[in-house]
Amino acid sequence: MRGWSFARASGIGTTAGLLAILLWPFFRRFGGVLTWPFAILAAVMGLCGLSILVMTLIDMLTRRRGSRIRPLRGFDLAVGLGLVGLSILQLQDVEGQLPA
C-alpha cells in the first residue's frame, strides 16, 4: 500500500462517484446494460471512502498532531463518510440485479 494515500483515494473515489452520479439516472431508466458499470463505479467509490476512513483512523491513533491538522482530519472524515454513504445508496439500487 506504499503508493496509496489520502489524495489518491479521494481523487479516485470522487471521480468514480461523479461518474456514478452521472450514470445513475440512465441506469434507472435503461438498467440491464448499465448495471455492471454502475455497480463497479459505486463499489470503487465506497472502497475508496472506506480506505480514507481507515487511514484517518490509523493516523489519529498512531500520531499526535497539532491543532492545525485537525480541520484536515475532519475534512477527510467528511469525504470518507460521504463517499461510503453515497455508495451505499447507489448499491441499493443495484441490489438483486447482479447474478449470484
Side-chain angles (χ1 to χ4, degrees):
M1 303 289 303
R2 204 172 217 168
W4 197 245
S5 65
F6 288 103
R8 184 162 287 155
S10 61
I12 292 172
T14 303
T15 302
L18 289 174
L19 290 173
I21 287 172
L22 291 173
L23 204 58
W24 206 351
F26 299 106
F27 165 74
R28 285 189 170 184
R29 181 161 171 91
F30 301 112
V33 162
L34 299 176
T35 301
W36 279 105
F38 181 72
I40 290 170
L41 288 170
V44 166
M45 176 178 51
L47 290 172
C48 287
L50 189 62
S51 74
I52 290 170
L53 293 175
V54 169
M55 286 187 290
T56 302
L57 179 66
I58 290 170
D59 186 61
M60 289 170 61
L61 292 174
T62 58
R63 296 186 181 145
R64 283 284 169 218
R65 301 285 188 157
S67 62
R68 298 179 84 195
I69 205 76
R70 284 188 189 135
L72 291 174
R73 291 300 161 242
F75 177 78
D76 290 338
L77 288 173
V79 169
L81 288 172
L83 291 175
V84 169
L86 186 57
S87 173
I88 289 170
L89 288 174
Q90 291 176 340
L91 289 173
Q92 285 177 345
D93 277 0
V94 177
E95 184 179 12
Q97 295 183 22
L98 297 175

